Amino acid sequence: EIIPNAESIRFSKSGADVTSAAIRLARAFTGKNTILCCGYHGWHDWYLSANLGTENALGEHLLPGLSPRGVPRGLTGTAFPFRYNHLDELEAIISKHRKEIAAVIMEPIRSDNPEPGFLEGVRALADETGAVLIIDEISAGFRMNSGGAHMLFNVIPDMAVYSKAMGNGFPIAAVIGKDRVMTAAQDTFISSTMWTERVGPAAALATIKKHRDCRVGHHLVEMGGNVQEGWKKSAEKSGLDIKVGGIPPTGHFTFSHEQALSLKSMFVQLMLERGFLASNLFYAMFSHKAEHIKAYLQAVDDVFLHLAFLLQKGTLKHEMKGKPATEGFRRLV
């Protein structure tokens, strides 16, 4: 009812499962191997193979800290990343691998909104090369609307994958798509014992009903947007330099400072002292109300001022109760 292009569907338990299933279906449908990707798509071999034979392709373009150790070397050259809003990078990869491309998989939105013509350009290039277009809604789906973010931008994929918010924390995932592509499941083997377990689907049905009835997506965008604006105002007031990114329901900020990791750790420590378990991100929930956001932002305002004071005194690391945060794996920042 809510996703018009869901002509066929298969349920699973995790995002990595359905994403890898979508890749398998695309390869089975096209008879080709190469995958072009834009975003974070999990831990499976097909994705991490983008880091084989390079210094760190995913790190250079998208995500640092994803080691391909244990991924078969034979998969080298089967996955290539391109950056969001960089249609020229996608075109350059296609020019070299046009006859080998099975799928283009991407997140519909990242830290920034799509530039005019970007998503439409990706759709056109996929059509031109005969590649399957897969939209990864595992992070963005059910955040801004009841369904997928791609619906807000009027881009129709061949397949889309969902998980996370669809079940409100319960294990549920889905790959949806056009019949002509999804019927490739009859020519390959994709299965798991627990995919037919019923708790996840029951949770998803209850979640989606409430999500629609209460216009949860609208609420999440409003609460998350208020937090992002609050971060900016507190930073300006304190003189701290931060960068705010992410869609409003799943926003984050980073400190633009040589001691960024120490600032992050101290922020967590100081917020905890004020009664908030908080890092440098905010995932809006329907239970967050205006009074909660107000109290949280008052604490952020106080903490940012204190952080600026510690930097001025040069005592930031001396007042930390633990070690600074480490980099390693990072989400899209």
Side-chain angles (χ1 to χ4, degrees):
E1 291 177 11
I2 63 177
I3 305 174
N5 54 305
E7 296 174 0
S8 295
I9 188 163
R10 183 66 179 264
F11 294 102
S12 173
K13 292 299 167 193
S14 75
D17 273 355
V18 289
T19 304
S20 294
I23 294 299
R24 171 76 67 77
L25 290 172
R27 283 172 165 164
F29 175 73
T30 62
K32 301 175 183 179
N33 294 325
T34 302
I35 307 298
L36 312 186
C37 55
C38 178
Y40 172 67
H41 304 295
W43 65 274
H44 285 194
D45 288 356
W46 73 265
Y47 178 59
L48 292 187
S49 66
N51 276 345
L52 289 172
T54 70
E55 289 297 320
N56 183 16
L58 294 173
E60 294 162 7
H61 285 256
L62 299 162
L63 260 172
L66 301 181
S67 172
R69 187 172 183 179
V71 177
R73 288 282 170 184
L75 294 178
T76 301
T78 59
F80 299 94
F82 64 97
R83 288 179 295 170
Y84 195 80
N85 277 333
H86 286 256
L87 195 62
D88 59 319
E89 292 183 357
L90 177 60
E91 291 172 334
I93 299 170
I94 288 175
S95 68
K96 295 180 181 179
H97 303 278
R98 180 175 298 273
K99 296 181 180 181
E100 309 158 13
I101 301 169
V104 177
I105 180 170
M106 65 178 299
E107 292 183 287
I109 185 170
R110 294 184 64 218
S111 293
D112 301 309
N113 285 323
E115 293 178 355
F118 173 64
L119 293 176
E120 294 83 356
V122 174
R123 173 72 271 185
L125 287 169
D127 289 339
E128 179 187 323
T129 58
V132 174
L133 176 60
I134 305 168
I135 296 293
D136 185 338
E137 291 280 4
I138 290 167
S139 291
F142 291 93
R143 300 290 187 184
M144 298 187 290
N145 62 338
S146 294
H150 72 273
M151 298 163 63
L152 301 175
F153 305 120
N154 296 316
V155 174
I156 300 176
D158 299 305
M159 285 190 284
V161 290
Y162 292 82
S163 189
K164 295 188 188 297
M166 184 174 73
N168 197 32
F170 285 86
I172 182 70
V175 53
I176 65 105
K178 297 177 180 178
D179 282 334
R180 65 183 182 86
V181 178
M182 295 283 284
T183 51
Q186 306 303 318
D187 302 318
T188 185
F189 181 70
I190 305 172
S191 179
S192 179
T193 301
M194 289 298 175
W195 283 4
T196 53
E197 180 272 340
R198 294 179 65 182
V199 173
L205 284 170
T207 297
I208 293 170
K209 183 179 186 305
K210 185 166 184 175
H211 205 285
R212 287 198 297 182
D213 293 347
C214 298
R215 299 183 67 223
V216 172
H218 175 80
H219 178 81
L220 300 183
V221 169
E222 181 181 4
M223 293 297 103
N226 290 342
V227 166
Q228 288 182 321
E229 287 304 310
W231 287 337
K232 294 174 184 177
K233 290 178 181 178
S234 291
E236 184 177 356
K237 179 179 178 181
S238 65
L240 292 175
D241 186 9
I242 68 169
K243 181 180 179 181
V244 175
I247 60 177
T250 58
H252 58 262
F253 69 86
T254 54
F255 293 102
S256 301
H257 194 277
E258 60 183 7
Q259 298 187 68
L261 294 176
S262 294
L263 284 167
K264 175 184 175 181
S265 296
M266 198 64 188
F267 176 80
V268 174
Q269 178 181 317
L270 294 173
M271 288 296 287
L272 191 59
E273 291 174 2
R274 288 157 179 77
F276 291 90
L277 181 60
S279 185
N280 62 325
L281 49 81
F282 177 77
Y283 276 33
M285 303 180 189
F286 189 58
S287 58
H288 287 135
K289 307 302 179 189
E291 59 267 28
H292 304 132
I293 303 303
K294 180 179 179 181
Y296 165 79
L297 289 176
Q298 286 174 342
V300 170
D301 200 55
D302 184 34
V303 167
F304 274 18
L305 286 169
H306 192 65
L307 290 175
F309 174 70
L310 293 177
L311 284 176
Q312 186 178 13
K313 282 179 57 182
T315 60
L316 176 65
K317 291 186 178 180
H318 296 293
E319 299 202 26
M320 288 175 53
K321 295 179 180 178
K323 296 180 179 179
T326 56
E327 289 191 88
F329 171 77
R330 293 183 293 177
R331 289 284 183 178
L332 304 173
V333 295

